[in-house]
Amino acid sequence: MIERARKISASVIFMLGFTQFHSFLSAVYSYFKEEYSFVWNQWVTGLFVILLFGSGFLLLKKNPVRIPALVVLLAFALFHGLSTYFYQFKLLENFGGDDFPFEYTGVTLMAISILLFVFLLFIRGDTSTSVDVQVEKWKTKWRISGIVTAFLAASLAIWALVSLILEYNRPPKDSATFSFNTNFDMIIAGLSAVLLLVAAILTFKKGSYLLAGIVLGIGFIYLMNYVWFDEWMRYAAKNGLKLAEGENRIFGIYLLIALFATLSGVFQLVGKKRA
């Protein structure tokens, strides 16, 4: 298997793992702060955090092991396919609302995992990487681009965090009613800012497939948040509802975080130095 392709595949698996970490952390937060109960799929999500990160690290080994990643990706695709069917398609069918907002995260994660499964299954061989040695200097500009975009994404995450803190600390009569953002989003914004800054700093040296995957995961999470918000805004406009007044700016910031974090992750992968 081509070494470079294998390691980039590991980064994508880390990205998938970080999305599940976000979901599991959300469930834990709700359990302790909002007294929600854990259900079976949340435990499975937590298990996939371990399995995805574990299989990703096995792909990065000097003597890589590919089978665990293939098994985990197939199970991951099946899990999200079934979850999407039972918790979205069936519910929409029961409600009879074809125009009801659709959450694309599960479908997108399933598609990514299937594509990556096929890629890992059929790519063979282990080619020489001597060409990479010749372009180490050329990679520097890509690492610099990854650093700059990571800093931009981190700054935007801090902006989102400060905006949420200020909003939630205003007097109730002066504060807009938030329908989509909660205190948990402050935690994620702060965590994202820290991880993006760490990724930017370490990219100065040589970069990391793990951190590049996490940065891509941050971009994915914020992109899906924006798409979900946009779906609801379209639904509200179509049905004459008033929702999330005052949250447009926050989700505009989220979209920019998604853009710069995704670009940063790609730049970090392109510019990654050889170990």
Side-chain angles (χ1 to χ4, degrees), residues 67-275:
I67 299 300
L70 291 171
V71 173
V72 171
L73 286 170
L74 191 60
F76 186 71
L78 181 62
F79 170 67
H80 277 285
L82 291 174
S83 296
T84 301
Y85 175 74
F86 285 110
Y87 292 110
Q88 290 196 71
F89 285 117
K90 292 294 289 184
L91 286 177
L92 290 177
E93 181 181 313
N94 293 336
F95 280 114
D98 294 335
D99 62 337
F100 205 73
F102 186 82
E103 225 283 60
Y104 288 95
T105 302
V107 171
T108 308
L109 288 172
M110 181 182 69
I112 293 172
S113 56
I114 290 174
L115 290 173
L116 188 58
F117 173 85
V118 173
F119 180 77
L120 285 172
L121 185 64
F122 291 104
I123 294 297
R124 292 286 193 277
D126 207 339
T127 61
S128 171
T129 55
S130 59
V131 175
D132 282 345
V133 177
Q134 301 173 11
V135 298
E136 286 299 321
K137 291 183 179 179
W138 173 78
K139 289 181 181 180
T140 301
K141 68 177 183 179
W142 291 101
R143 285 199 303 279
I144 292 172
S145 298
I147 292 165
V148 171
T149 46
F151 273 123
L152 287 171
S155 300
L156 288 163
I158 293 170
W159 184 13
L161 173 61
V162 172
S163 298
L164 289 170
I165 291 173
L166 291 175
E167 190 62 43
Y168 276 105
N169 282 278
R170 287 181 184 176
K173 63 179 181 179
D174 298 327
S175 180
T177 301
F178 278 6
S179 303
F180 294 90
N181 285 286
T182 66
N183 290 330
F184 178 71
D185 293 288
M186 298 184 201
I187 296 173
I188 293 302
L191 178 62
S192 298
V194 170
L195 291 172
L196 287 162
L197 289 172
V198 170
I201 292 168
L202 293 184
T203 302
F204 274 111
K205 185 177 181 181
K206 66 177 182 179
S208 163
Y209 287 107
L210 170 61
L211 286 173
I214 290 175
V215 168
L216 287 172
I218 292 171
F220 180 87
I221 289 166
Y222 277 106
L223 177 61
M224 290 297 102
N225 282 348
Y226 177 83
V227 171
W228 179 234
F229 175 77
D230 185 65
E231 282 285 296
W232 271 102
M233 291 303 97
R234 292 176 185 273
Y235 178 80
K238 186 175 181 180
N239 293 276
L241 302 175
K242 289 187 177 181
L243 285 176
E245 294 181 359
E247 287 187 88
N248 288 326
R249 180 170 60 87
I250 295 292
F251 278 90
I253 298 172
Y254 288 174
L255 181 59
L256 291 175
I257 294 173
L259 171 63
F260 287 119
T262 302
L263 287 175
S264 179
V266 172
F267 291 155
Q268 288 176 45
L269 288 176
V270 174
K272 173 71 173 66
K273 281 187 177 181
R274 286 175 52 80

Side-chain angles (χ1 to χ4, degrees), residues 21-55:
F21 174 73
H22 170 267
S23 297
F24 186 72
L25 189 61
S26 175
V28 171
Y29 178 86
S30 298
Y31 177 79
F32 285 105
K33 291 293 185 179
E34 302 176 21
E35 299 182 351
Y36 288 162
S37 299
F38 257 69
V39 294
W40 71 271
N41 58 331
Q42 292 167 336
W43 288 112
V44 175
T45 297
L47 177 62
F48 271 119
V49 175
I50 300 171
L51 293 176
L52 287 164
F53 276 98
S55 60

